Amino acid sequence: LALKRMAVRQGYRGSGIATALGRTALAFARQSGCRAVVLNTLMVQHQARALYERLGFCWHRRYVLPTLYGHLANCTVTVYRYDLSGAP
């Protein structure tokens, strides 16, 4: 399962909404028989990266965005993975 575009409006951040959304997505993936959940995030999204790591996602790989801007700005994308195999 690929998790894309999870966001919480600025004024509601810090209230546990993103954590609940993330846990719900993981539960859905588990119930649907998925083997893993993957997502991409930019290097500048520090809060998002911290959230994913708190939820148990592991760093999988990194790559520079394959565009002219990506190479000029060294815009790095981090791929996270949450392995569901063997999880309750």
Side-chain angles (χ1 to χ4, degrees):
L1 179 82
L3 181 61
K4 292 192 173 223
R5 309 245 193 277
M6 186 171 80
V8 175
R9 184 176 270 208
Q10 183 79 29
Y12 294 96
R13 292 180 188 167
S15 62
I17 294 171
T19 299
L21 285 170
R23 287 182 180 153
T24 300
L26 291 171
F28 173 81
R30 190 174 288 114
Q31 292 168 0
S32 298
C34 296
R35 293 185 308 235
V37 178
V38 294
L39 61 89
N40 298 336
T41 188
L42 295 174
M43 62 185 180
V44 296
Q45 295 174 309
H46 303 291
Q47 291 176 329
R49 291 172 57 204
L51 167 69
Y52 301 137
E53 291 171 12
R54 280 195 311 274
L55 287 170
F57 282 83
C58 296
W59 177 89
H60 185 62
R61 67 184 176 98
R62 287 191 179 128
Y63 63 92
V64 174
L65 196 63
T67 63
L68 178 59
Y69 169 77
H71 288 286
L72 290 174
N74 194 29
C75 187
T76 304
V77 175
T78 301
V79 179
Y80 282 94
R81 179 182 172 93
Y82 188 104
D83 189 6
L84 293 167
S85 60

